[in-house]
Amino acid sequence: MKLSTPLLYSGNPREAADQVAELEKAGLDTVWVAEAYGFDSPTLMGYLAAKTETIEIGAGILNVFSRTPSALLQTAAGLDNVSGGRAVLGLGASGPQVIEGFHGLPYEKPLGRTREVISIIRQGLRRERLVHDGKIFTLPLPADQGLGLGKPLKILTKVERNVIPIWVAALGDANVAMTAEVADGWLPFLFLPEKAHEVWGDALAKGTAKRSADLAPLEISAGGMVAIGEGEDTKKLLDLMRPMYALYVGGMGARGKNFYNELACHYGYEKEAKQIQDLYLDGNKRDAEALVPTEWLEAGNLVGPASYVQERIAAFREAGVTNLQISPVTDDPAATVAQIKEWVS
């Protein structure tokens, strides 16, 4: 099992990059760089490439709407070059609030778009001329559109690797099935190991049945906050996660269009999900945070005595996780990474 951590996209990215370099020395395998509507991810990933030596640098995630497939190809190939073959391309559809509100683009056909983007990127990494006739993208642009001067082109520069791991952030059944069919890895969110098979088992099986033999088995990266210690003071650290859970379940979307709220319902927290959303959208964020189920926080994170944290690691492994994501909340994050690395090896 590999070990990874998400790099926060708020705050000072230079300081965060310095910390990643220390965590790399402690045994961290992968860092995921989010984008959302903060700093762009490729700039931070390129900076990390210069500050590190061995760690995989993953986009976690780049959305498939605001950049063309060819631009995503260029980004993946460029990062893989400056990092010496350490790039991981995480893709996702994001959500309508970001895509339509921040980027001003219609949130249409996210699954089909993701599938075609992956196909075009892989074609481009093989340095083939980009020819694609899909439902969403046509390369080159047809003669009756634009100036009619487009011609098939291949990426100009020699790529570091002609295959770069492509991961997809997915929660809904259709998206998870598509991910299991065509992607190298899956990035779920707010993952609850004991309920993962119940929620996603059928979708994963459906996609895996169609998976090409040329692809390795699907990788999965999930995890949560880590704090190792005895007593109530350690357990109380779980409260630090309440604002994030409440934000996603309650505020990351509108009523009737919130993927994370739907996920909470699938986990069996229908009553709490509705209450959290109502409170959050009405501006009562603290009250919404208080209603996040403690059992979800406990199961989805790794907080408690060493024996309990090891049990959580085993639960994530049993759920199929191959890359454990951790966010250390300790005075010495590097020491925590080193300890977890010993346990997952």
Side-chain angles (χ1 to χ4, degrees):
M1 181 183 279
K2 287 185 175 181
L3 201 59
S4 65
T5 193
L7 182 73
L8 296 179
Y9 50 80
S10 60
N12 189 326
R14 296 189 301 276
E15 292 178 0
D18 291 338
Q19 185 183 61
V20 169
E22 290 300 314
L23 298 182
E24 177 186 56
K25 296 175 184 176
L28 194 71
D29 298 294
T30 313
V31 60
W32 299 103
V33 184
E35 183 172 82
Y37 49 98
F39 291 130
D40 75 294
S41 179
T43 296
L44 301 187
M45 291 190 293
Y47 185 68
L48 281 171
K51 300 283 287 187
T52 58
E53 297 178 359
T54 61
I55 198 168
E56 293 177 328
I57 302 169
I61 50 117
L62 296 175
N63 77 73
V64 295
F65 287 92
S66 61
R67 296 175 177 89
T68 66
S70 299
L72 289 166
L73 162 66
Q74 290 176 296
T75 294
L79 176 62
D80 208 44
N81 177 269
V82 298
S83 67
R86 293 183 282 135
V88 178
L89 182 62
L91 300 174
S94 186
Q97 283 70 29
V98 173
I99 301 306
E100 297 187 353
F102 191 70
H103 294 290
L105 298 168
Y107 192 78
E108 298 175 346
K109 302 178 180 177
L111 269 66
R113 179 179 291 267
T114 302
R115 182 186 288 271
E116 290 190 31
V117 164
I118 291 173
S119 177
I120 293 169
I121 290 173
R122 285 182 172 151
Q123 184 181 1
L125 288 172
R126 294 191 297 267
R127 298 202 71 211
E128 298 174 3
R129 297 187 183 278
L130 293 184
V131 177
H132 180 86
D133 186 14
K135 295 181 179 179
I136 297 171
F137 299 104
T138 303
L139 296 174
L141 199 65
D144 62 346
Q145 298 181 34
L147 298 177
L149 299 177
K151 64 178 182 179
L153 297 173
K154 65 181 180 180
I155 190 168
L156 184 64
T157 44
K158 182 179 179 181
V159 297
E160 188 76 15
R161 295 180 294 173
N162 59 13
V163 176
I164 293 174
I166 298 178
W167 292 58
V168 175
L171 291 178
D173 285 351
N175 203 359
V176 171
M178 183 272 296
T179 299
E181 179 185 349
V182 303
D184 297 292
W186 174 38
L187 291 164
F189 190 56
L190 302 180
F191 193 79
L192 206 169
E194 283 80 0
K195 296 188 178 182
H197 181 74
E198 177 184 340
V199 174
W200 293 299
D202 290 345
L204 288 169
K206 181 179 178 181
T208 301
K210 300 178 181 179
R211 190 174 180 85
S212 170
D214 294 334
L215 294 174
L218 184 72
E219 301 279 339
I220 302 174
S221 182
M225 185 177 77
V226 176
I228 307 168
E230 305 283 343
E232 286 301 311
D233 287 345
T234 298
K235 279 295 184 182
K236 286 180 180 178
L237 291 173
L238 283 169
D239 290 337
L240 296 175
M241 298 300 290
R242 290 186 180 277
M244 185 189 74
Y245 278 61
L247 166 63
Y248 280 88
V249 174
M252 198 63 76
R255 288 184 177 88
K257 195 65 175 179
N258 181 322
F259 307 126
Y260 312 99
N261 191 278
E262 293 173 14
L263 176 61
C265 293
H266 289 315
Y267 283 157
Y269 303 125
E270 296 94 340
K271 178 181 176 181
E272 293 90 341
K274 183 180 186 307
Q275 291 175 326
I276 290 169
Q277 186 175 61
D278 288 343
L279 287 167
Y280 204 96
L281 294 180
D282 288 340
N284 301 312
K285 296 181 180 181
R286 291 293 178 87
D287 292 336
E289 293 165 11
L291 291 180
V292 175
T294 299
E295 67 173 23
W296 188 5
L297 294 172
E298 289 178 339
N301 294 281
L302 303 93
V303 176
S307 59
Y308 181 78
V309 173
Q310 288 175 292
E311 289 177 8
R312 286 291 84 212
I313 292 172
F316 278 99
R317 192 191 300 272
E318 180 67 22
V321 172
T322 58
N323 185 313
L324 183 67
Q325 284 194 43
I326 63 170
S327 297
V329 184
T330 61
D331 294 332
D332 191 349
T336 301
V337 166
Q339 179 63 82
I340 300 295
K341 181 67 175 179
E342 179 182 331
W343 290 339
V344 303
S345 297

